[in-house]
Amino acid sequence: MRFPFGARVATTATALGTALGAFATMGTATAAASVPNGEWAPFTRCPVDAPAMLAADGLARTPQCVVSTSPSGTIKLGKTTVTTGRTNLQIGVVQNSDGTSSVVAPAGGALVADSATVPGGLLGLMCPSDIPAITGICEQLGNSTLNKITATVESVGAPYDFDQTAGILTDQPIVAIPVRIHLENPFLGSKCYIGTAADPIVLRPENRQFPEFGLSFFRGDGTVADDGEMSRINLTGATQNDSSFAVPGASGCGLGMFGLIDAAVNAKTGLPSAAGNNSLTLNSAQTHLAGLNAPGTVAPDAGKRLAENWHSAVG
């Protein structure tokens, strides 16, 4: 029963690995909550206690944990390219017997990643400018603290158009992921974003190469064992890319300056930017998927068993 499970989840793992990396484009500095043992080690934030995961019976609905990481990458928005750092995104996945699936995010958010620094800072983002008020700001930006801008990607809605089959292929969209990018700097205020919940950036990541495949078996507490009730799929080394997304203009920037900073940022960076002018690349993605080998044998309690196993491995 093990290898049929492996064959079934490998497609999902590949698909989610690609999709998950896209979420983690620029990052947020949230600490991991737990450090599980053994084969559970990468799954520090799997939402095993979420109602949808616990309700998965192992027959009509099968629960799984997925983590995807990338050590580096780049994202180009209009005229601006940002180098990204380490990223880590974790979700639960409920596989339905009809071939569809649903994604469950951890309560504290799915994304953990290094913050990214926008090259050139505020000087590069909106200076020089022919707007007098902006010129005044530009003249004060010799101070490196005032000039620095950090960028954080935030999910602004649930993923959709998930295509499980596309995960084993190359150059086909895996999933649509709506996000916005939070720009932070003293002059920009606290509500400066590229994209909004109503008008997000929608990423549709694709595989550019096939990942290497690995499979291991382990007991509920994470100990490697050929007769373990758990399996872990490992998909490593893939490059991920999307150049299909459009980018809306910045909004909410500038401490009540009536849109002047929004206009300056958009003019200098070339926003809004149509599809085809932007791109996302994530290097050496590492994706792991863990689930019960034979979830039907513990029905209707597969979700509860997965949660019990994960908690038994948390040190």
Side-chain angles (χ1 to χ4, degrees):
M1 299 180 70
R2 290 173 175 166
F3 286 100
F5 167 81
R8 175 168 57 84
V9 300
T11 300
T12 302
T14 308
L16 287 172
T18 304
L20 296 178
F23 270 117
T25 305
M26 287 197 279
T28 179
T30 304
S34 308
V35 182
N37 298 318
E39 295 295 277
W40 278 116
F43 304 93
T44 57
R45 297 178 291 112
C46 184
V48 293
D49 296 319
M53 293 283 282
L54 290 172
D57 61 5
L59 296 173
R61 300 177 305 280
T62 300
Q64 298 160 355
C65 294
V66 179
V67 54
S68 183
T69 63
S70 171
S72 63
T74 58
I75 186 169
K76 178 179 180 291
L77 308 176
K79 300 176 184 177
T80 300
T81 299
V82 176
T83 298
T84 64
R86 295 171 299 171
T87 61
N88 176 292
L89 187 134
Q90 300 192 37
I91 59 171
V93 175
V94 177
Q95 293 288 343
N96 302 314
S97 58
D98 63 2
T100 63
S101 63
S102 57
V103 175
V104 181
L111 177 66
V112 171
D114 292 345
S115 296
T117 300
V118 177
L122 204 56
L123 281 168
L125 200 64
M126 70 179 195
C127 302
S129 173
D130 57 6
I131 302 173
I134 304 302
T135 300
I137 293 176
C138 293
E139 292 173 350
Q140 300 179 53
L141 292 180
N143 183 310
S144 60
T145 301
L146 295 177
N147 188 44
K148 182 179 179 181
I149 297 177
T150 58
T152 303
V153 77
E154 300 177 354
S155 177
V156 290
Y160 58 93
D161 286 348
F162 179 70
D163 185 345
Q164 183 168 318
T165 302
I168 61 173
L169 305 174
T170 59
D171 305 321
Q172 294 194 25
I174 308 298
V175 67
I177 307 165
V179 301
R180 65 182 180 181
I181 296 170
H182 191 185
L183 302 177
E184 296 179 270
N185 172 277
F187 283 110
L188 298 180
S190 62
K191 298 180 180 180
C192 182
Y193 292 93
I194 298 173
T196 64
D199 186 19
I201 301 167
V202 181
L203 303 173
R204 292 179 171 85
E206 304 175 353
N207 287 335
R208 288 295 178 259
Q209 58 189 186
F210 297 105
E212 295 184 12
F213 176 84
L215 176 66
S216 61
F217 301 102
F218 60 102
R219 299 193 177 99
D221 65 358
T223 303
V224 175
D226 289 340
D227 62 349
E229 67 172 312
M230 302 291 300
S231 293
R232 189 178 103 179
I233 298 293
N234 305 304
L235 297 159
T236 59
T239 297
Q240 304 165 359
N241 181 267
D242 177 25
S243 57
S244 67
F245 58 94
V247 181
S251 62
C253 307
L255 302 173
M257 293 186 67
F258 306 104
L260 293 179
I261 290 184
D262 292 346
V265 169
N266 289 334
K268 185 68 183 292
T269 58
L271 300 179
S273 179
N277 297 325
N278 317 293
S279 64
L280 164 72
T281 298
L282 292 166
N283 303 319
S284 190
Q286 313 290 310
T287 299
H288 309 283
L289 183 149
L292 295 159
N293 286 331
T297 63
V298 293
D301 297 321
K304 294 177 182 177
R305 177 66 67 87
L306 184 74
E308 290 171 359
N309 287 350
W310 184 87
H311 283 289
S312 74
V314 175

